[in-house]
Amino acid sequence: MVTLSRTRVVGLVLGLLAGGLVLALWPREEPSVQEAITRKIVQMTRSAEEKDVGALMEGVSESFKSGQGWSRDQVRGILVAQVLRGQWVRIFHTGLEVTEVSASKGDFSVRFIFARSEAQELEQLAQESVMNAWLVEGSFEKEQDGEWRVVTARHRQLNPTDLF
């Protein structure tokens, strides 16, 4: 059996802590505009599917305006009505395209498919589902706090033939 002196144990613990701090504080490369916006859209889609409107709205800027003239508060009301009423069980995004406009702004286009289904993958969706789909286009900006938020968006409902 190996016995370590108290000094060696303290030294080992301090060494591990120092190594952990170095890793935690080491500068990380900023994700690209495309990657940051893609991550945000994925995160917002998951929040909507989990019916977490608060987390979903964290991705919407206070200065948000929609193509229909809706404010952030109006969008929140619409999302609460759509997400919380429980009609849609699954939400998929497809056809996501992100274009970098500047280091702090990017435009996006994405199709969202809302379904009453137990499908876990998009390919399974059409088998036993009721679907509704929307094309959403808009812009994200990196705000003062370093978070990416959608600042403008416009949408239109898609026909099933528009999906494929």
Side-chain angles (χ1 to χ4, degrees):
M1 184 165 151
V2 176
T3 343
L4 295 174
S5 70
R6 185 177 208 164
T7 306
R8 284 186 163 226
V9 170
V10 169
L12 182 61
V13 169
L14 288 175
L16 289 172
L17 284 173
L21 279 172
V22 167
L23 287 175
L25 299 175
W26 195 264
R28 293 189 180 103
E29 187 175 315
E30 277 288 312
S32 68
V33 171
Q34 290 88 349
E35 181 64 25
I37 292 173
T38 298
R39 286 180 189 175
K40 197 64 165 189
I41 289 172
V42 168
Q43 177 186 32
M44 292 172 75
T45 302
R46 285 185 186 140
S47 295
E49 193 169 76
E50 293 167 359
K51 299 180 183 352
D52 188 347
V53 176
L56 176 60
M57 290 305 296
E58 288 175 12
V60 180
S61 177
E62 291 291 333
S63 63
F64 175 84
K65 286 291 178 196
S66 79
Q68 291 73 20
W70 299 337
S71 69
R72 182 180 193 273
D73 290 339
Q74 289 169 314
V75 167
R76 180 181 178 80
I78 291 165
L79 289 173
V80 165
Q82 291 295 317
V83 171
L84 293 182
R85 74 177 172 185
Q87 183 178 3
W88 306 112
V89 178
R90 301 286 300 161
I91 304 170
F92 297 94
H93 70 274
T94 183
L96 175 60
E97 295 178 14
V98 178
T99 305
E100 182 175 335
V101 175
S102 71
S104 61
K105 184 176 182 178
D107 293 337
F108 72 95
S109 174
V110 62
R111 290 185 300 267
F112 288 104
I113 302 169
F114 298 81
R116 276 182 294 207
S117 173
E118 297 301 317
Q120 296 298 311
E121 296 178 10
L122 187 57
E123 292 76 24
Q124 301 169 334
L125 191 59
Q127 293 172 355
E128 298 176 19
S129 303
V130 176
M131 297 186 296
N132 191 349
W134 299 86
L135 174 66
V136 179
E137 299 172 314
S139 298
F140 274 82
E141 288 184 7
K142 188 173 186 179
E143 295 192 332
Q144 293 285 350
D145 63 359
E147 290 295 318
W148 286 88
R149 292 190 179 88
V150 63
V151 291
T152 62
R154 60 196 167 283
H155 69 276
R156 72 174 172 87
Q157 191 164 12
L158 297 173
N159 294 319
T161 55
D162 295 330
L163 294 176
F164 306 103

